[in-house]
């Protein structure tokens, strides 16, 4: 019987250790908000062009007016997405109620600064996110930047949308 208990303990330890090396199945941690680099041990980002694009439902934005955003391409199992000043490294604005299997991520004190996966269930082109531009200190151009993981071993950094420019005509009419 002692041998059976030893085997059980070994199996439990193996399962716990193997779970530590799987990355973050419940979403990205706040510690990667700036770098957006997954902490998948022993794995590096893909160097080829990503099969993903970020589609935004507009070319301009107005402070406080929602913008719809989608990650297009094959199914993916993990992601981290932020809106940033073009060329910047800090997230801007906030994300509205996240779709199923996704969640908000706090970055630099903003509880709704980024959106990430909440499990490793497959996501697809039908997942639509809603971003709210900040009311103040709005930059002239914003890009959506994402890390997209097809699997734990295969992911792309710095997937970017085209620039979304501030609608100056709206601010001039007020």
């Amino acid at each position: 019987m002692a041998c059976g208990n030893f085997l059980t303990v070994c199996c439990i330890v193996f399962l716990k250790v193997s779970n530590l090396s799987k990355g973050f199945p419940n979403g990205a941690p706040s510690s990667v908000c700036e770098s957006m680099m997954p902490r998948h041990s022993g794995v590096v980002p893909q160097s080829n062009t990503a099969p993903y694009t970020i589609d935004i439902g507009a070319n301009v934005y107005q402070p406080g007016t929602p913008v719809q955003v989608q990650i297009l391409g094959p199914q993916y199992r993990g992601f981290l997405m932020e809106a940033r000043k073009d060329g910047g490294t800090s997230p801007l604005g906030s994300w509205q109620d996240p779709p199923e299997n996704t969640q908000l991520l706090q970055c630099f004190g903003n509880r709704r600064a980024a959106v990430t996966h909440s499990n490793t269930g497959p996501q697809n082109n039908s997942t639509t996110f809603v971003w709210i531009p900040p009311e103040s200190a709005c930059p002239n151009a914003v890009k959506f930047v994402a890390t997209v993981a097809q699997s734990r071993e295969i992911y792309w950094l710095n997937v970017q949308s085209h620039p979304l420019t501030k609608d100056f005509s709206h601010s001039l009419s007020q």
Side-chain angles (χ1 to χ4, degrees):
M1 186 69 172
C3 184
N5 287 340
F6 177 75
L7 184 58
T8 301
V9 170
C10 286
C11 287
I12 290 170
V13 169
F14 173 77
L15 290 173
K16 291 287 186 189
V17 170
S18 67
N19 278 339
L20 292 175
S21 67
K22 289 186 177 181
F24 292 88
N26 298 321
S30 292
S31 61
V32 300
C33 287
E34 187 173 352
S35 71
M36 298 184 80
M37 174 70 86
R39 301 234 170 110
H40 300 175
S41 60
V43 181
V44 296
Q46 300 297 299
S47 58
N48 59 330
T49 302
Y52 302 98
T53 58
I54 299 176
D55 183 56
I56 45 183
N59 289 320
V60 297
Y61 77 92
Q62 297 173 355
T65 302
V67 175
Q68 291 192 344
V69 183
Q70 290 180 303
I71 299 172
L72 302 180
Q75 282 190 339
Y76 53 97
R77 295 193 173 272
F79 72 97
L80 171 60
M81 185 164 52
E82 301 174 358
R84 293 178 169 187
K85 175 181 173 182
D86 195 5
T89 59
S90 297
L92 295 170
S94 61
W95 296 89
Q96 268 190 344
D97 303 323
E100 187 177 351
N101 299 317
T102 70
Q103 63 188 346
L104 301 173
L105 181 64
Q106 180 172 325
C107 297
F108 308 107
N110 178 350
R111 293 179 328 139
R112 300 165 99 41
V115 64
T116 187
H117 57 284
S118 61
N119 60 55
T120 56
Q123 302 283 329
N124 59 37
N125 297 341
S126 66
T127 304
T128 301
F129 306 95
V130 179
W131 176 73
I132 309 297
E135 290 287 347
S136 60
C138 295
N140 292 341
V142 171
K143 281 188 176 180
F144 294 91
V145 181
T147 296
V148 184
Q150 217 169 46
S151 66
R152 181 194 169 283
E153 297 82 16
I154 302 171
Y155 67 90
W156 288 265
L157 284 175
N158 205 28
V159 177
Q160 295 188 17
S161 70
H162 68 270
L164 186 65
T165 57
K166 185 176 179 181
D167 183 355
F168 288 101
S169 65
H170 177 72
S171 59
L172 293 176
S173 65
Q174 291 184 353

